[in-house]
């Protein structure tokens, strides 16, 4: 049996950006061809054709994003040094015990930690392993009676803070809690932060702080319940939509979306769930709802019929609103393009 690659916290945090169970499966099964990654039965026959590779355009885009992130981290470091902060670029010689001996306001850049066994025992994670984690910045603050507190920051070259960013910092805090509790006089701050690019000319970044205790319950729930359930489930919930453009697996899911309701342009996740629920109630069996099911239902809809109750008319109007398009846009309609190319449109 092929051993799975440990999961990275930075990758798992993307779940809270894309809101996609299939993403977790794809991350978990990356390089393991024995899994179907949550595809429906009709997609499994094409599994050999679907490789975990993006085209050149996607690769260049991801490389540009990575470079932008590294450039921003460098700007943060230079600005912190400019402000008189003692920033230590960590290497293998810098260990967690060095934090206890650190001076007030010292900042450690990219200190590497291994996930302690106590974390797996506490979360009851038997068949899932996490890779070593590397917080971008750890700041040391002296407190009363000689005690010290560490504050975790992450740098994101993003316009604003997202839940996925906060989840990542909170995950680091949870993991570090198992490590620092063995060290007398050292604790984790209840505050975390995200460095973001600043629109002001006098500084390259702004620091947005947030309370970790608001996120730690969700983080614990994710590792204890959500993550094992998603990985061990036979199938996973997913919907190909416009947000998927920046995902590493966009080409995989674009192919998997053929014949599904994801081919309906501008169909949000919420509306997709509404549509699936409505159609599932009308069909027998446990098969996934596909585009042909939608066509059959729409053919039956007639909101002008006197045979419908008022509630049924409301439902029918909602369905038609979800899949409506402007007939005047004959040449540029994304609905017509989806039909002509047999590809999902985002």
């Amino acid at each position: 049996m092929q051993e799975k690659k440990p999961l990275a916290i930075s990758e798992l945090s993307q779940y809270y950006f894309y809101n996609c169970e299939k993403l977790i499966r794809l991350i978990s099964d990356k390089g393991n061809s024995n899994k179907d990654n949550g595809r429906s039965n009709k997609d499994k026959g094409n599994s050999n054709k679907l490789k975990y590779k993006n085209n050149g355009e996607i690769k260049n885009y991801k490389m540009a994003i990575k470079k932008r992130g590294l450039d921003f981290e460098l700007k943060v470091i230079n600005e912190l040094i400019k402000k008189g902060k003692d920033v230590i670029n960590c290497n293998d010689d810098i260990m967690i015990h060095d934090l206890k001996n650190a001076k007030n306001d010292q900042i450690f850049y990219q200190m590497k930690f291994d996930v302690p066994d106590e974390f797996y025992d506490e979360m009851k994670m038997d068949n899932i392993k996490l890779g070593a984690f590397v917080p971008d910045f750890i700041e040391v603050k002296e407190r009363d009676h000689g005690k010290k507190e560490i504050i975790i920051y992450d740098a994101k070259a993003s316009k604003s803070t997202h839940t996925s960013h906060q989840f990542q910092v909170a995950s680091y805090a949870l993991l570090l809690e198992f490590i620092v509790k063995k060290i007398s006089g050292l604790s984790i701050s209840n505050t975390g932060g995200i460095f973001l690019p600043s629109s002001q000319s006098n500084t390259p970044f702004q620091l947005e702080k947030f309370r970790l205790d608001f996120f730690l319950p969700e983080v614990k729930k994710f590792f204890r319940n959500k993550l094992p359930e998603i990985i061990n489930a036979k199938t996973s919930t997913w919907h190909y939509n416009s947000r998927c453009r920046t995902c590493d697996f966009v080409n995989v899911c674009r192919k998997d979306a053929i014949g599904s309701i994801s081919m309906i342009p501008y169909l949000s996740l919420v509306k997709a769930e509404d549509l699936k629920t409505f159609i599932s109630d009308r069909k027998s069996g446990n098969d996934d709802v596909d585009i042909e099911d939608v066509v059959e239902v729409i053919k039956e809809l007639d909101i002008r019929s006197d045979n419908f109750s008022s509630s049924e008319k409301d439902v029918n109007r909602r369905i038609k609103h979800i899949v409506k398009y402007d007939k005047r846009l004959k040449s540029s309609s994304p609905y017509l393009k989806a039909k002509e190319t047999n590809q999902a449109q985002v």
Side-chain angles (χ1 to χ4, degrees):
M1 182 177 179
Q2 185 177 2
E3 185 177 352
K4 290 185 180 181
K5 182 181 178 181
L7 303 176
I9 296 296
S10 57
E11 290 184 319
L12 292 177
S13 66
Q14 296 176 22
Y15 169 78
Y16 286 89
F17 178 79
Y18 294 105
N19 192 21
C20 179
E21 294 181 1
K22 185 180 179 182
L23 172 63
I24 299 295
R25 295 285 291 273
L26 288 167
I27 292 172
S28 173
D29 299 332
K30 190 161 47 177
N32 186 350
S33 59
N34 295 326
K35 292 285 186 176
D36 62 49
N37 303 317
R39 297 192 187 103
S40 61
N41 291 330
K42 65 181 180 180
D43 295 321
K44 291 180 182 179
N46 297 324
S47 60
N48 291 331
K49 299 178 182 179
L50 302 178
K51 300 182 182 298
Y52 301 121
K53 292 183 179 179
N54 295 313
N55 57 30
E57 181 180 353
I58 297 298
K59 285 184 178 180
N60 291 337
Y61 175 79
K62 299 304 291 185
M63 289 177 63
I65 292 294
K66 184 176 181 179
K67 183 179 183 303
R68 181 187 175 195
L70 292 174
D71 289 344
F72 177 61
E73 288 179 13
L74 184 59
K75 289 181 180 179
V76 172
I77 292 173
N78 291 335
E79 183 66 16
L80 290 173
I81 294 175
K82 183 179 177 181
K83 292 182 177 181
K85 295 287 187 178
D86 183 9
V87 181
I88 301 174
N89 194 344
C90 296
N91 51 48
D92 293 338
D93 296 329
I94 303 293
M95 306 296 290
I96 182 65
H97 291 279
D98 293 313
L99 292 175
K100 184 178 180 180
N101 300 322
K103 298 178 182 178
N104 187 45
D105 288 342
Q106 272 190 326
I107 298 176
F108 293 82
Y109 173 63
Q110 293 200 334
M111 180 178 284
K112 186 177 180 179
F113 304 91
D114 292 320
V115 177
D117 293 335
E118 292 83 355
F119 168 78
Y120 297 112
D121 295 338
E122 178 74 20
M123 297 297 122
K124 295 180 172 58
M125 293 169 58
D126 298 326
N127 61 337
I128 302 172
K129 294 297 179 183
L130 304 180
F133 60 102
V134 186
D136 283 340
F137 299 94
I138 295 178
E139 185 175 21
V140 178
K141 289 289 186 181
E142 291 183 354
R143 300 307 184 199
D144 296 335
H145 309 295
K147 295 183 178 181
K148 292 179 181 177
E149 190 176 66
I150 60 176
I151 308 174
I152 304 167
Y153 305 121
D154 214 53
K156 298 294 182 184
S158 177
K159 292 182 179 179
S160 60
T161 298
H162 192 273
T163 304
S164 59
H165 304 156
Q166 295 168 322
F167 172 85
Q168 188 171 345
V169 172
S171 296
Y172 291 152
L174 175 63
L175 292 168
L176 281 172
E177 188 68 46
F178 287 90
I179 297 175
V180 302
K181 66 181 180 182
K182 300 177 182 179
I183 304 174
S184 176
L186 192 63
S187 62
I188 307 292
S189 172
N190 192 39
T191 300
I194 307 293
F195 286 114
L196 297 172
S198 174
S199 58
Q200 300 179 5
S201 58
N202 60 337
T203 179
F205 69 82
Q206 58 181 342
L207 176 60
E208 290 195 2
K209 294 184 177 182
F210 62 96
R211 289 182 56 175
L212 292 173
D213 54 346
F214 290 160
F215 287 89
L216 285 175
E218 175 61 28
V219 172
K220 292 178 181 178
K221 181 180 178 181
F222 175 81
F223 287 113
R224 183 179 284 120
N225 303 117
K226 285 186 180 180
L227 182 58
E229 288 174 0
I230 292 172
I231 290 179
N232 295 324
K234 293 182 179 180
T235 59
S236 53
T237 302
W238 66 285
H239 174 64
Y240 184 73
N241 59 85
S242 59
R243 182 168 286 188
C244 300
R245 291 176 179 177
T246 57
C247 178
D248 288 342
F249 303 101
V250 59
N251 283 348
V252 174
C253 295
R254 181 183 286 124
K255 292 178 181 178
D256 289 356
I258 294 175
S260 73
I261 64 173
S262 293
M263 293 183 67
I264 301 174
Y266 311 127
L267 187 64
S268 68
L269 182 61
V270 174
K271 288 185 177 181
E273 289 301 320
D274 278 351
L275 196 57
K276 286 180 181 179
T277 301
F278 176 78
I279 296 176
S280 295
D281 292 341
R282 286 172 166 253
K283 62 179 291 189
S284 59
N286 297 320
D287 293 338
D288 291 340
V289 174
D290 57 29
I291 197 70
E292 294 179 0
D293 297 321
V294 178
V295 172
E296 291 302 318
V297 170
I298 292 177
K299 285 180 179 178
E300 298 174 3
L301 296 182
D302 185 0
I303 61 176
R304 294 168 296 181
S305 173
D306 294 331
N307 296 326
F308 284 118
S309 65
S310 59
S311 61
E312 287 177 323
K313 287 181 180 179
D314 289 339
V315 172
N316 293 340
R317 287 191 183 95
R318 286 185 66 191
I319 299 302
K320 286 203 168 186
H321 175 73
I322 289 174
V323 299
K324 70 179 181 180
Y325 71 93
D326 191 341
K327 294 181 179 179
R328 294 172 296 180
L329 302 176
K330 293 183 179 180
S331 60
S332 59
S333 170
Y335 299 87
L336 295 176
K337 188 175 181 180
K339 179 177 177 60
E340 292 171 358
T341 62
N342 196 34
Q343 290 185 354
Q345 305 295 304
V346 296

